[in-house]
Amino acid sequence: MVIGGLLVLIGAILLAGQFVRVDIWHYGWPFFIIAPGVLLLILALTSRGFVGEGLAIVGSVITVTGLILLYQNASGHFESWAYAWALIPASVGLGMVLYGWVAHRPANVRVGTRLLGIGLVIFFLGALFFEGVIGLGGHHLDHTAGVALGVVIIAVGALMLVANLASRDRTSR
């Protein structure tokens, strides 16, 4: 049923593209990646057990990859792969969170939330570095903003190290 509906939708889009003279393949090809990912997510959220969990992870990875490609294709900013790769492990976390919510598995939600957070932090730090410091997309931070960003990143890293060392001291006692 779902595959049949998906084929009808794809055919209708291709047919409409012929009448309005829009190059569907140039702009719409990422949807051929997004659609199967969404389909896998739907199947995952209606399944239980290891199969449902695996489908949720694979579906979210495929969907997020398609969304990244859609952005890059629409904007022409393919250089963003320098840091957009971090959204792939984040999408694994997203799949775990979605499945954990539906299947009422709090362990999946906890682990998935951590993985999603780590991936998003790496993505945003990478975007700041590659776009702001290196100027990958043609934009640079000025000197003051670059210094401030460096200080903030060092401070956050130092806080994480101190918090980790403090938690080790408490668990070893």
Side-chain angles (χ1 to χ4, degrees):
M1 183 80 172
V2 174
I3 294 173
L6 190 60
L7 288 174
V8 168
L9 179 65
I10 291 170
I13 291 170
L14 291 174
L15 186 61
Q18 294 301 312
F19 287 112
V20 294
R21 301 285 184 214
V22 174
D23 188 3
I24 298 290
W25 294 109
H26 179 71
Y27 296 105
W29 67 267
F31 287 106
F32 291 102
I33 297 169
I34 296 169
V38 170
L39 179 65
L40 286 174
L41 277 173
I42 292 169
L43 289 172
L45 299 179
T46 59
S47 302
R48 293 292 174 258
F50 291 116
V51 172
E53 186 176 359
L55 287 175
I57 291 170
V58 170
S60 65
V61 167
I62 292 171
T63 302
V64 168
T65 302
L67 291 171
I68 293 168
L69 291 171
L70 178 65
Y71 161 76
Q72 291 175 336
N73 190 49
S75 67
H77 189 222
F78 290 98
E79 302 87 17
S80 63
W81 269 121
Y83 53 89
W85 63 266
L87 294 175
I88 303 302
S91 67
V92 171
L94 178 64
M96 293 178 74
V97 168
L98 290 173
Y99 183 77
W101 279 339
V102 171
H104 306 291
R105 295 177 71 183
N108 279 49
V109 174
R110 274 193 311 276
V111 172
T113 302
R114 282 189 208 121
L115 191 53
L116 178 62
I118 290 167
L120 290 175
V121 166
I122 293 171
F123 170 76
F124 286 118
L125 289 176
L128 280 172
F129 177 75
F130 284 108
E131 297 294 341
V133 176
I134 293 180
L136 196 62
H139 307 288
H140 289 280
L141 294 174
D142 65 357
H143 179 72
T144 306
V147 169
L149 177 62
V151 169
V152 167
I153 291 172
I154 290 170
V156 169
L159 285 173
M160 291 174 71
L161 288 172
V162 168
N164 190 9
L165 290 173
S167 69
R168 282 187 182 174
D169 285 344
R170 277 187 255 140
T171 57
S172 65
R173 290 181 188 169

